[in-house]
Amino acid sequence: MTERPAPTPTPPVRAEKLTKLYGTTRALLDFDGSFAPGAVTVVEGPNGSGKSTLLALLAQTARPTSGQVHYGAELASPTALRAAVGMVAHDAMLYPDLTGLENLALYAELYSVPTPQQRIEELRARFGVGGFAERPVRTYSRGQQQRVALCRALLHAPSILLLDEPTNGLDTDSVKRLVDAVVVERARGAIQILVTHDRAFADRVADARIALRAGRRITVDPASSAPYRAEPGVTA
Ligand code: ADP
Ligand code: MG
């Protein structure tokens, strides 16, 4: 399998007192956290606890009410940051009337991917994106759409990969492929931040864990790791 050359080393991404208010809703409050290259951080928390808000603030698709994110000098400009970030959000960000392949070709051009056809085929193989890629995206199942969204997010070999509930809609084989992809991106030195409710998936990839409750970061005891431990007798 051919992989892209490793990107220039990325400095850690560090959030400092990151706060996002929507009117009176406290989506995220005084969030402090640091994300190292080559580390996979899993973010967990109930619905509405601020997980997607955190990803949006890190991707700079939303502005903090207060606090800031430090990215390192080479990612200081908005253009450089955009080129460094790969994201799968709740919305797949695919054009429904274009085919999967047309979507990938379009994004490859936007990101100036050097050998787009080769890269697209590499990613199709990684995520098992078969002949359906030649049909319009509006005809896809949730899982098919999610796999093309993952290809789209990885096209430009991003140094910061933000995945919001990436296993949604994926079958067992596709989750395994995603685990393999996370491992490859980790070896490449990417910073990876994954929001997931899938405990088995989290257990297989997490180097670090963050738990949010009502917008606040709470401490996770790594010894008990309560939210993620498989039930006794269940193998992940
Ligand atoms: P999670 O991803 O953990 O489910 P979110 O980060 O999406 O949570 O949301 C955190 C809180 O902020 C929720 O109460 C949500 O309703 C609120 N929120 C998120 N986005 C907006 C928005 N654009 N306008 C108003 N409230 C929002
Ligand atoms: Mg969310």
Side-chain angles (χ1 to χ4, degrees), residues 52 90 164-165:
S52 296
H90 290 199
D164 203 344
E165 305 186 18

Side-chain angles (χ1 to χ4, degrees), residues 106-128:
L106 184 66
Y107 278 102
E109 200 174 321
L110 285 176
Y111 283 120
S112 306
V113 173
T115 50
Q117 284 318 312
Q118 186 191 329
R119 181 62 174 163
I120 289 169
E121 289 310 314
E122 226 174 78
L123 290 168
R124 276 184 78 178
R126 238 205 245 184
F127 291 105

Side-chain angles (χ1 to χ4, degrees), residues 27 56-57 81 83 95 98-99 129 152-153 184 202 219:
L57 293 172
L81 185 71
Y95 294 93
L98 299 184
T99 69
V129 172
R152 194 217 65 233
V184 168
T219 308

Side-chain angles (χ1 to χ4, degrees), residues 22 25-27 45-54 90 164-165 195:
Y22 292 104
T25 304
R26 299 158 168 187
N47 292 336
S49 57
K51 306 181 298 296
S52 296
T53 300
L54 174 62
H90 290 199
D164 203 344
E165 305 186 18
V195 170

Side-chain angles (χ1 to χ4, degrees), residues 9-62:
T10 316
V13 167
R14 192 164 57 81
E16 190 184 353
K17 290 200 165 302
L18 209 51
T19 296
K20 181 70 176 177
L21 310 178
Y22 292 104
T24 56
T25 304
R26 299 158 168 187
L28 197 67
L29 276 183
D30 285 338
F31 178 91
D32 289 318
S34 188
F35 305 95
V40 178
T41 304
V42 167
V43 182
E44 68 87 20
N47 292 336
S49 57
K51 306 181 298 296
S52 296
T53 300
L54 174 62
L55 293 197
L57 293 172
L58 294 172
Q60 286 196 350
T61 57

Side-chain angles (χ1 to χ4, degrees), residues 16-205:
E16 190 184 353
K17 290 200 165 302
L18 209 51
T19 296
K20 181 70 176 177
L21 310 178
Y22 292 104
T24 56
T25 304
R26 299 158 168 187
L28 197 67
L29 276 183
D30 285 338
F31 178 91
D32 289 318
S34 188
F35 305 95
V40 178
T41 304
V42 167
V43 182
E44 68 87 20
N47 292 336
S49 57
K51 306 181 298 296
S52 296
T53 300
L54 174 62
L55 293 197
L57 293 172
L58 294 172
Q60 286 196 350
T61 57
R63 271 178 205 285
T65 307
S66 61
Q68 53 190 319
V69 186
H70 305 277
Y71 298 96
E74 57 275 52
L75 300 182
S77 80
T79 317
L81 185 71
R82 229 159 279 303
V85 169
M87 186 156 184
V88 172
H90 290 199
D91 180 337
M93 295 188 278
L94 297 168
Y95 294 93
D97 288 335
L98 299 184
T99 69
L101 284 177
E102 286 166 346
N103 269 279
L104 294 177
L106 184 66
Y107 278 102
E109 200 174 321
L110 285 176
Y111 283 120
S112 306
V113 173
T115 50
Q117 284 318 312
Q118 186 191 329
R119 181 62 174 163
I120 289 169
E121 289 310 314
E122 226 174 78
L123 290 168
R124 276 184 78 178
R126 238 205 245 184
F127 291 105
V129 172
F132 69 84
E134 285 160 39
R135 283 197 268 117
V137 165
R138 65 182 143 71
T139 67
Y140 291 4
S141 71
R142 181 77 181 85
Q144 289 173 332
Q145 189 173 297
Q146 188 72 350
R147 282 182 283 155
V148 175
L150 286 162
C151 292
R152 194 217 65 233
L154 285 171
L155 272 174
H156 54 303
S159 50
I160 304 170
L161 191 56
L162 306 170
L163 304 181
D164 203 344
E165 305 186 18
T167 62
N168 270 5
L170 298 187
D171 59 24
T172 315
D173 177 58
S174 300
V175 173
K176 190 180 170 306
R177 287 172 181 275
L178 176 60
V179 170
D180 292 344
V182 169
V183 170
V184 168
E185 296 308 305
R186 177 200 276 138
R188 202 171 58 78
I191 291 171
Q192 297 185 80
I193 306 169
L194 318 184
V195 170
T196 189
H197 293 290
D198 183 334
R199 291 174 188 183
F201 171 67
D203 280 341
R204 284 156 83 180
V205 298

